[in-house]
Amino acid sequence: CFSLAAQFCCGFFVILILGNFWFLAVLYLLWLYLDWETPCAGGRRSQWVRSWTVWKYFREYFPIQLIKTSDLNPNHNYLLGFHPHGVLVAGAFGNFCTGPSFKNLFPGLTPYLHIMPIWFSCPFFREYIMSAGMVSASKESVSYVLNNEGGGHASVIVIGGAEESLNAHPGSLTLNILKRKGFIKMALKHGAHLVPVFSFGENELFKQVANPKGSWLRNVQEKLQRIMGFALPLFHARGIFQYSFGLIPFRQPIHTVVGSPIPVKQNLNPTTEEIEQLHALYLQELRKLFEEHKGNYGIPEHKTLIFE
């Protein structure tokens, strides 16, 4: 979805350059130069864009629902770890970039969805994603959001990253998280409370070509992911007028459950041991959140999360 929109925006930019509107392209390049750091400085959200009617239909298509399990005090800043990545990250976009659900459930908090910096290199597309409340996933960007002295900011980070999308098969509960500890260090440095978030149904939206660990396809995908910075899952779902094949996601309900906050005391220079301890506690709370709610969303009792 992101890729198609980005290609359209880049194509439009090329048309400006090659056509009779090259001067507009030059002006935009100047704007791009002057505005380059904005995705790392809180972005430039637009409530008008976030409230478009099309997003209401987008959320209702699956449907997407945000579930609150605990209050979040707006006097603090929070780092929300979103799991799993899935193919589309529909739960993160639908709940944190569109509609009033988050604002109604957590008044006083402003969510910022952090995504790969490469998306902000796409002309025009960067303006669109920033208007929806997305910002860069760089360290500088996360620090900017969590440095808000009065509290009230919530960084939303898809912890598994693009690599985890390669595990996004229906029924999969594998999370890429054991080696991902940068978000823990950021939470400690800024004293941001950690909040685990699990999006039930995220992996059910598409079917993906079989790519088990060690297969030639998985090896190629992982190599491309290291080179380009983003993964290329081979997926399919349904079409517009038929349900057997296409790129439109299946209509499967998505329930994004926001867990209870893990209090974090600011530590500007955390030791490796302190990071490890908080990481272990986060994994424990994430698993607890999943176990407490899996029965409500059709997950068999014997199934549990797999951490890689």
Side-chain angles (χ1 to χ4, degrees):
C1 218
F2 268 15
S3 180
L4 290 174
Q7 289 176 33
F8 174 81
C9 291
C10 290
F12 180 66
F13 183 68
V14 171
I15 291 173
L16 287 181
I17 294 176
L18 299 179
N20 295 323
F21 302 98
W22 59 267
F23 62 95
L24 293 178
V26 172
L27 288 176
Y28 182 78
L29 284 174
L30 176 60
W31 162 258
L32 199 61
Y33 174 77
L34 297 174
D35 194 58
W36 191 254
E37 297 300 324
T38 300
C40 294
R44 186 170 47 248
R45 69 181 53 222
S46 165
Q47 191 56 42
W48 175 66
V49 173
R50 289 167 59 89
S51 302
W52 281 352
T53 303
V54 66
W55 303 135
K56 175 178 179 290
Y57 294 124
F58 172 79
R59 294 190 304 273
E60 292 177 351
Y61 171 80
F62 297 98
I64 296 174
Q65 184 178 0
L66 188 66
I67 291 92
K68 171 183 176 179
T69 64
S70 177
D71 290 332
L72 297 181
N73 189 334
N75 294 324
H76 298 297
N77 293 315
Y78 297 88
L79 195 159
L80 278 62
F82 183 91
H83 312 270
H85 183 287
V87 171
L88 190 61
V89 206
F93 178 75
N95 286 309
F96 303 117
C97 294
T98 74
S101 294
F102 187 86
K103 182 179 180 180
N104 292 341
L105 292 176
F106 304 103
L109 283 182
T110 301
Y112 295 81
L113 179 59
H114 295 269
I115 64 175
M116 291 185 298
I118 190 173
W119 293 117
F120 296 98
S121 302
C122 302
F124 299 114
F125 182 67
R126 68 190 296 275
E127 320 303 334
Y128 157 64
I129 56 179
M130 276 197 290
S131 66
M134 292 180 239
V135 291
S136 172
S138 66
K139 292 180 181 179
E140 296 78 12
S141 178
V142 177
S143 290
Y144 184 93
V145 172
L146 297 181
N147 258 337
N148 194 41
E149 291 185 3
H153 281 188
S155 278
V156 183
I157 302 178
V158 184
I159 305 299
E163 183 182 355
E164 192 173 83
S165 67
L166 300 178
N167 291 327
H169 297 270
S172 174
L173 295 173
T174 301
L175 304 180
N176 290 49
I177 192 171
L178 291 182
K179 295 181 181 179
R180 308 215 172 216
K181 300 172 185 176
F183 74 104
I184 298 291
K185 189 173 183 179
M186 293 299 291
L188 282 165
K189 282 190 171 184
H190 296 282
H193 296 348
L194 284 166
V195 182
V197 179
F198 195 88
S199 195
F200 292 90
E202 199 75 43
N203 284 341
E204 319 304 316
L205 306 186
F206 295 92
K207 292 180 180 178
Q208 191 172 164
V209 175
N211 60 342
K213 290 275 189 179
S215 66
W216 70 268
L217 176 57
R218 186 60 168 257
N219 290 337
V220 170
Q221 288 175 320
E222 290 177 346
K223 183 174 290 187
L224 289 174
Q225 192 266 328
R226 288 192 293 270
I227 294 172
M228 299 184 298
F230 56 90
L232 294 172
L234 297 180
F235 61 89
H236 65 89
R238 54 163 290 185
I240 299 177
F241 301 111
Q242 46 77 30
Y243 296 87
S244 57
F245 190 83
L247 295 179
I248 298 176
F250 293 117
R251 296 192 70 177
Q252 296 289 339
I254 298 172
H255 297 91
T256 303
V257 184
V258 181
S260 300
I262 303 170
V264 177
K265 186 177 181 181
Q266 187 173 25
N267 184 348
L268 296 178
N269 296 292
T271 64
T272 301
E273 182 181 1
E274 290 168 332
I275 293 173
E276 292 285 353
Q277 288 177 348
L278 184 55
H279 186 260
L281 177 59
Y282 180 85
L283 293 183
Q284 177 183 320
E285 291 300 313
L286 174 59
R287 188 180 295 279
K288 178 182 175 183
L289 176 70
F290 174 81
E291 293 295 331
E292 287 180 349
H293 295 273
K294 68 180 183 181
N296 298 331
Y297 308 114
I299 307 295
E301 182 62 31
H302 68 277
K303 287 211 166 190
T304 190
L305 295 179
I306 300 172
F307 296 145
E308 288 187 349

